[in-house]
Amino acid sequence: MSITFDEEHAVFSLETPATSYIIAVVDGFVGHAYYGKKVSGSDAAYLLRTNEPPFVPSKNERERLSFYDSFPWEYPCGGIGDFRESALCVRTAQGHNAVCLRYVSHSITPGAAELEGLPAVTGTAGDCATLSLLCRDDVTGLEVTLLYTVYEHIDAVARAVRIVNNGTEPLYLTKALSAAFDTDNRDFDLVTLHGSWARERHICRRPVMPGTQGVCSVRGEDSHQEHPFMAVCAHNADDDSGDVYGFSFVYSGNFTAVAQADQFGSVRLLMGINPESFCWKLEAGGCFTCPQVVLACSSEGFNGMSHIYHDLYRAHLIRGEYKDKMRPVLINNWEATYFNFDTDKLVSIAKEAAEDGIEMLVMDDGWFGKRNSDDCSLGDWNVNEAKLPGGLSRLVSEVNKLGMKFGIWFEPEMISPDSSLYRAHPDWAIAVPGRTAGLSRCQYVLDLSRPEVEAYAYNSVASVLRSANIEYVKWDMNRQLADIGSASLPPDRQGELFHRYVLAVYRMQERLITEFPHLLLENCSGGGARFDPAMLYYSPQIWCSDDTDAVERLAIQEGTALVYPLSSMGAHVSTCPNHACGRITPFKTRGYVALAGTFGYELDITKIPAEDRSLIPGQIALYKKFNALVRTGDYYRVASYSRNNEYDCWECVNKDKSEALVTFVQVLNNPNYHSRKICFKGLDPDKTYAVSYPDDEQEKRSMPSVFTGSMLMNAGYTIPRMWGDFQAKLIYIRETES
Ligand code: DGJ
């Protein structure tokens, strides 16, 4: 059993294969005793330090506040004298804010916690168990259940919180975070992911300093700018060694992720819905569920942490038909045509794409209403027959006749002021009465907290899907939320709008994949602004970034792969000069970089240079040959261009260590230099491996090709020199007879 309770010492032990998470109850207060490398022995309560001043209130009532302010809480509350950042704050009907939670009871059940209306990691009795720790505040009547799902075979603990108002009056939750983690500061660094449009999820690392630091979003989605993830690690932790603690938030709206170093050398980490603009009215008897935070703890550095998240999210978060399947190679017309297309143009792209082995045509933005630019028609989800004569059925059947699948783009959460929908229902847009709402990309956001608006948005998508053989949807979201106001919520519930919006998106996507179980859904948000674990619960892949430049993608994909499996990263080959940055890179390199994701094309195949075009069938063959390895294997960061400013290298190794694929990108050439010696990772030191270049005949002939795993990992492998910048090599390693 992965969860045990030692009644004598009031200690809960949550055990994963390599870690222990220990909770102890003293004086009725639920404390965090330990999280890290596996330990044995049951009386871990001493780790709470309650045998030293200020002791516990039952022994030292006069210093109760000192106790509150130094105790390592599992779930710290505001207003009682723990002056550090809190996880829970309320405003009662009388206007007070104090809450103090005491242990009441617990249960340990097989399987994963289910969170009403929220995405969460899944599991059966054989995979995981859940501890539910019930705590109560006697004054307000609040009952708070701390939920911990612990996996048998993966070093992950998923936390969530359920809050019930068992008092007699309504109260307001002004802050309801999902997880807190108090620990000694062992010279920690904080790692977060930052960026902007076209530069998402760049890794940022700095020491944890006294005071509060962290990342947050108030944009209504996770955003291009900040990401709902943080890790703390030992200062000397690197890709392969050292303690790393990851916190990944299974949520798609406003979030906060905070590290606070305090006066006693402790660090408190907190993660949850951002309290800014949040205020949730909890009626007597009402329940609020805080979204899940997944903790991953590894003593094998960041690669170890990535393996935990990748394994967990592949097996226990991503669902549906495509969960364990190779995705069709697609071609998307966005960068090929933008809004300027018609049926003939799309069919001409599809024809040539089919000849090269591409399997699906995706029609992007611009097929509905009168949308010939981005300033109109969102909400009017009727086919523009001027562009697509004969409608979708004709286009889809032409594409299907070529042996290709057909996919389509939507942006269901939005409304253009220039649309029939807005003219009929101006109050359906999120806005503050009396204040002109600000436009972004010339559009407003639909108030999805209203059931009729949610129903309209859902039916707009579903009725199109019911009308033709559409096998893929790209669900886009191209602006962030501001001027927060709903025409239908009462004043004391306006603070719920952000969260209600997110819950409606989840409901719509759940409905969509239930009604269309064979649909391949790809989430997207102006590139990768909503790339998070929650969206992966609905769509097995997410568009990683609008920046498809092979060099820019290195940092974006490195940061994304820190948490998310490669199987989920939307990655395409696009044309040059690149549309986001103007850089020119070899078609071959663009292909190698896109092979680390779902793979596809984002270009006008009828116009690209013949030399590039001739490479497409070979690229698709590589994708088919190696996708299983990339999709299911262990990902290793080998070298990082973001850190060394010269080259990048990553590796995928299958679970039995019999095969690996290494991608090496020489971003900048170094004149008059040795070959690069790279130590591969994750192989079996005692196995013998043949090393080959699956895409490079010349190198194949000239290199010695058989090595032991220990040689490749410890002594290294010399990557042949390449002439020029932006060059790349794909290296295949396969177990062979010695
Ligand atoms: C943003 C997406 O990231 C692009 O790929 C494209 O679909 C555009 N939106 C269309 O408006």
Side-chain angles (χ1 to χ4, degrees):
M1 187 62 151
S2 51
I3 303 174
T4 52
F5 179 53
D6 171 356
E7 213 165 331
E8 189 193 341
H9 300 105
V11 168
F12 295 92
S13 297
L14 285 53
E15 303 292 335
T16 71
T19 72
S20 302
Y21 187 114
I22 302 178
I23 299 165
V25 181
V26 280
D27 248 21
F29 301 104
V30 181
H32 180 75
Y34 175 75
Y35 185 32
K37 243 187 236 173
K38 211 173 188 72
V39 292
S40 58
S42 57
D43 186 7
Y46 75 95
L47 292 164
L48 301 178
R49 296 195 174 98
T50 48
N51 52 357
E52 55 187 82
F55 304 106
V56 284
S58 63
K59 289 202 185 121
N60 187 16
E61 184 56 48
R62 53 168 284 139
E63 293 304 341
R64 182 177 276 265
L65 258 58
S66 301
F67 167 78
Y68 285 161
D69 200 27
S70 58
F71 185 64
W73 297 90
E74 270 298 309
Y75 195 63
C77 299
I80 52 164
D82 176 357
F83 299 107
R84 295 163 289 179
E85 294 276 328
S86 60
L88 179 67
C89 283
V90 302
R91 195 175 66 244
T92 63
Q94 291 74 35
H96 303 130
N97 74 342
V99 190
C100 184
L101 294 175
R102 306 291 290 266
Y103 169 81
V104 176
S105 63
H106 73 271
S107 64
I108 298 170
T109 46
E114 279 179 26
L115 307 179
E116 177 76 357
L118 287 165
V121 286
T122 59
T124 61
D127 305 316
C128 55
T130 297
L131 167 66
S132 306
L133 261 177
L134 177 66
C135 305
R136 180 181 298 132
D137 175 55
D138 287 334
V139 178
T140 57
L142 270 186
E143 292 203 340
V144 173
T145 306
L146 309 180
L147 299 162
Y148 303 81
T149 296
V150 183
Y151 284 82
E152 291 275 350
H153 305 295
I154 302 176
D155 290 312
V157 176
R159 293 184 55 178
V161 178
R162 198 172 282 133
I163 304 170
V164 173
N165 180 3
N166 259 346
T168 51
E169 291 178 293
L171 55 71
Y172 297 89
L173 301 174
T174 55
K175 189 182 201 183
L177 304 188
S178 300
F181 172 57
D182 281 359
T183 179
D184 288 6
N185 184 0
R186 287 180 273 133
D187 201 13
F188 281 138
D189 281 356
L190 176 67
V191 173
T192 50
L193 303 171
H194 297 260
S196 183
W197 174 78
R199 281 187 281 112
E200 294 91 339
R201 290 176 294 287
H202 285 211
I203 296 171
C204 171
R205 178 171 178 167
R206 69 282 199 190
V208 171
M209 301 295 282
T212 301
Q213 53 248 274
V215 289
C216 69
S217 166
V218 288
R219 297 165 186 268
E221 61 171 353
D222 351 305
S223 81
H224 303 93
Q225 290 76 9
E226 309 297 349
H227 195 72
F229 166 81
M230 69 175 158
V232 287
C233 64
H235 188 57
N236 60 359
D238 57 22
D239 287 335
D240 306 299
S241 66
D243 291 341
V244 180
Y245 297 86
F247 298 78
S248 167
F249 195 25
V250 188
Y251 190 62
S252 315
N254 292 345
F255 72 89
T256 183
V258 163
Q260 183 184 34
D262 74 4
Q263 55 183 331
F264 299 119
S266 301
V267 179
R268 170 169 291 173
L269 299 168
L270 293 151
M271 188 173 249
I273 294 176
N274 196 333
E276 186 170 335
S277 308
F278 171 83
C279 183
W280 192 273
K281 184 177 183 184
L282 207 53
E283 299 285 359
C287 172
F288 182 84
T289 306
C290 307
Q292 199 163 51
V293 172
V294 177
L295 280 62
C297 172
S298 167
S299 52
E300 289 170 11
F302 284 93
N303 282 327
M305 182 200 74
S306 301
H307 294 165
I308 297 168
Y309 282 123
H310 292 194
D311 286 346
L312 186 74
Y313 289 168
R314 281 187 296 216
H316 298 290
L317 181 67
I318 294 172
R319 303 173 294 164
E321 185 164 308
Y322 283 94
K323 172 180 157 84
D324 298 317
K325 247 192 180 169
M326 177 155 55
R327 319 287 155 73
V329 179
L330 67 82
I331 185 160
N332 177 303
N333 74 306
W334 178 240
E335 291 195 13
T337 65
Y338 294 103
F339 296 98
N340 185 18
F341 63 86
D342 57 17
T343 297
D344 289 346
K345 178 67 200 169
L346 293 178
V347 171
S348 74
I349 290 177
K351 252 190 198 134
E352 302 213 16
E355 280 167 21
D356 286 351
I358 296 174
E359 298 160 312
M360 178 159 73
L361 175 82
V362 176
M363 176 172 66
D364 210 280
D365 193 355
W367 56 267
F368 51 93
K370 57 180 177 78
R371 191 160 166 95
N372 292 314
S373 72
D374 61 10
D375 58 4
C376 69
S377 301
L378 293 170
D380 297 345
W381 297 105
N382 45 300
V383 176
N384 179 349
E385 297 241 2
K387 276 183 175 174
L388 308 180
L392 275 181
S393 44
R394 186 183 140 220
L395 172 62
V396 176
S397 91
E398 296 268 330
V399 171
N400 287 166
K401 266 191 245 154
L402 296 166
M404 290 178 93
K405 296 177 192 293
F406 181 84
I408 196 167
W409 177 98
F410 282 100
E411 195 176 359
E413 301 159 57
M414 298 291 152
I415 180 167
S416 303
D418 181 5
S419 66
S420 309
L421 185 67
Y422 189 76
R423 283 184 281 276
H425 300 287
D427 58 317
W428 280 18
I430 288 177
V432 176
R435 182 181 292 281
T436 307
L439 287 165
S440 176
R441 208 191 193 207
C442 205
Q443 64 198 55
Y444 294 133
V445 183
L446 281 172
D447 177 5
L448 296 174
S449 73
R450 297 173 68 163
E452 68 277 28
V453 180
E454 180 188 329
Y456 175 87
Y458 176 76
N459 285 322
S460 304
V461 178
S463 56
V464 171
L465 298 192
R466 287 180 206 125
S467 76
N469 182 26
I470 298 171
E471 299 181 73
Y472 162 105
V473 163
K474 178 177 177 184
W475 180 306
D476 203 351
M477 187 231 191
N478 283 300
R479 69 155 282 180
Q480 300 171 335
L481 279 61
D483 298 298
I484 291 301
S486 164
S488 77
L489 289 172
D492 66 347
R493 288 198 180 273
Q494 291 288 333
E496 301 177 9
L497 181 52
F498 271 121
H499 184 55
R500 285 182 181 274
Y501 178 90
V502 175
L503 294 178
V505 172
Y506 294 156
R507 269 194 304 272
M508 289 197 292
Q509 296 211 350
E510 184 67 36
R511 232 178 126 183
L512 193 73
I513 58 174
T514 307
E515 182 177 348
F516 304 98
H518 305 301
L519 185 74
L520 174 55
L521 182 62
E522 175 154 0
N523 268 292
C524 169
S525 177
R530 205 162 58 180
F531 198 125
D532 61 58
M535 298 319 282
L536 282 183
Y537 188 68
Y538 305 100
S539 65
Q541 59 195 59
I542 303 175
W543 185 228
C544 204
S545 175
D546 275 349
D547 198 332
T548 45
D549 171 67
V551 176
E552 294 301 313
R553 272 283 176 140
L554 297 176
I556 295 169
Q557 295 184 182
E558 178 184 359
T560 307
L562 192 65
V563 187
Y564 304 99
L566 304 191
S567 64
S568 67
M569 296 200 313
H572 296 168
V573 178
S574 64
T575 195
C576 276
N578 178 267
H579 290 199
C581 66
R583 187 175 288 123
I584 296 175
T585 55
F587 200 76
K588 184 170 170 176
T589 303
R590 281 174 262 160
Y592 288 178
V593 173
L595 282 176
T598 57
F599 201 74
Y601 293 87
E602 189 101 4
L603 41 73
D604 188 345
I605 196 169
T606 68
K607 289 194 181 143
I608 58 170
E611 198 187 327
D612 291 352
R613 173 85 193 268
S614 69
L615 298 178
I616 291 179
Q619 289 181 335
I620 294 173
L622 288 173
Y623 168 72
K624 300 222 155 155
K625 179 162 183 205
F626 294 119
N627 183 254
L629 179 50
V630 170
R631 211 178 59 244
T632 64
D634 288 334
Y635 160 89
Y636 288 86
R637 173 55 44 183
V638 179
S640 163
Y641 168 60
S642 307
R643 282 177 260 157
N644 64 35
N645 296 320
E646 286 186 9
Y647 60 98
D648 209 68
C649 186
W650 65 91
E651 184 182 349
C652 297
V653 186
N654 71 351
K655 293 283 178 188
D656 70 8
K657 300 178 183 297
S658 61
E659 310 183 84
L661 186 70
V662 175
T663 311
F664 178 92
V665 181
Q666 171 177 288
V667 182
L668 295 178
N669 195 10
N670 217 345
N672 186 25
Y673 212 69
H674 282 312
S675 59
R676 290 257 171 234
K677 200 181 286 166
I678 295 287
C679 291
F680 297 152
K681 300 184 178 178
L683 303 174
D684 182 335
D686 300 323
K687 283 187 170 157
T688 303
Y689 294 96
V691 177
S692 65
Y693 297 84
D695 196 29
D696 195 330
E697 286 306 312
Q698 200 185 338
E699 296 291 359
K700 204 153 106 188
R701 280 198 302 273
S702 61
M703 291 293 295
S705 64
V706 175
F707 307 85
T708 58
S710 60
M711 188 69 90
L712 291 173
M713 292 196 293
N714 301 330
Y717 179 79
T718 49
I719 308 282
R721 301 215 48 213
M722 290 173 273
W723 181 244
D725 297 338
F726 316 137
Q727 305 298 315
K729 287 265 179 242
L730 207 57
I731 301 162
Y732 180 49
I733 301 166
R734 189 190 186 97
E735 185 182 0
T736 186
E737 300 286 303
S738 34

